[in-house]
Amino acid sequence: MGAVNGVDDMIRRTLELSMLLAAASAQGQTPASAPPPPAATPGGVTVYRCPGPDGPHYTNALTPAEARDRGCRTIEGTPITVVQMPKARPPASGTAAAKPGDARVDPNAQRERDNDARRILEAELRREEDKLAALRREYNNGEPERRGDERNYQTYLDRVSALKASITRSESDIAAIKREIAKIP
């Protein structure tokens, strides 16, 4: 919070100085109490913060007169950090695995992998079908039996809608597993 107040004070003083200098230059005078010009950054360059339509713009490519005309403020005593955006990587080509000379998998090893994948998917399909059958039994065509803890009718309706959603989700899972099994050669 203290740093923000310090920046606000610095901005206020810079504005007061700008107004004082503008008034003195309009009268053709140099004020006796005018402080020295803003200090440059360690590299000897003055950096300006200029207002813009998409936020502040920082630059060191303006003369003091241009900066004053655009309503820019000098940045003093604040370290300036420039962050460069990382370079965009070229998109990975999908044909990288199909290049000739790449190591091929032994057909027998691939067949074993496919059989393992089929066995795992079929076991998952059986579990999901058993789960669906249990959900359908409990759902009882949209009229499941009320439980003792469901004295409130809304609680019962919430359970019915949750059962219906579970049945729908289980059916879509079964369809997805069947599609995966169909993909295996």
Side-chain angles (χ1 to χ4, degrees):
M1 190 73 176
V4 172
N5 289 337
V7 171
D8 288 342
D9 290 340
M10 183 176 65
I11 292 171
R12 185 176 36 76
R13 282 183 282 170
T14 304
L15 282 174
E16 290 171 358
L17 173 63
S18 298
M19 291 185 335
L20 185 61
L21 288 173
S25 65
Q27 296 174 354
Q29 303 174 8
T30 304
S33 63
T41 57
V45 178
T46 303
V47 178
Y48 298 98
R49 178 181 183 203
C50 302
D54 57 343
H57 174 72
Y58 298 89
T59 183
N60 63 350
L62 298 176
T63 64
E66 289 174 327
R68 187 174 54 247
D69 292 341
R70 291 184 184 181
C72 301
R73 301 178 188 156
T74 58
I75 306 287
E76 295 178 15
T78 306
I80 299 169
T81 304
V82 177
V83 178
Q84 293 182 353
M85 296 298 294
K87 294 181 181 178
R89 294 182 182 180
S93 63
T95 61
K99 290 182 182 177
D102 284 352
R104 293 242 172 211
V105 177
D106 181 44
N108 291 331
Q110 184 63 44
R111 195 172 306 119
E112 287 178 26
R113 290 179 188 170
D114 291 342
N115 289 337
D116 289 344
R118 181 181 302 278
R119 190 179 68 250
I120 291 169
L121 286 172
E122 286 174 349
E124 190 174 337
L125 177 63
R126 280 191 299 274
R127 278 194 308 270
E128 200 63 40
E129 287 174 339
D130 292 342
K131 177 181 166 187
L132 178 61
L135 285 170
R136 284 187 174 154
R137 272 193 308 274
E138 185 179 353
Y139 187 63
N140 193 23
N141 292 326
E143 297 178 4
E145 291 185 23
R146 288 182 73 165
R147 298 187 303 206
D149 62 342
E150 294 175 335
R151 294 189 181 140
N152 184 347
Y153 188 67
Q154 185 61 45
T155 307
Y156 170 76
L157 292 177
D158 291 344
R159 182 171 69 94
V160 171
S161 66
L163 281 171
K164 186 174 182 179
S166 295
I167 289 171
T168 304
R169 185 173 36 254
S170 186
E171 288 171 343
S172 68
D173 289 347
I174 288 172
I177 293 170
K178 286 181 179 179
R179 283 192 303 271
E180 288 297 317
I181 290 174
K183 289 180 186 178
I184 297 174

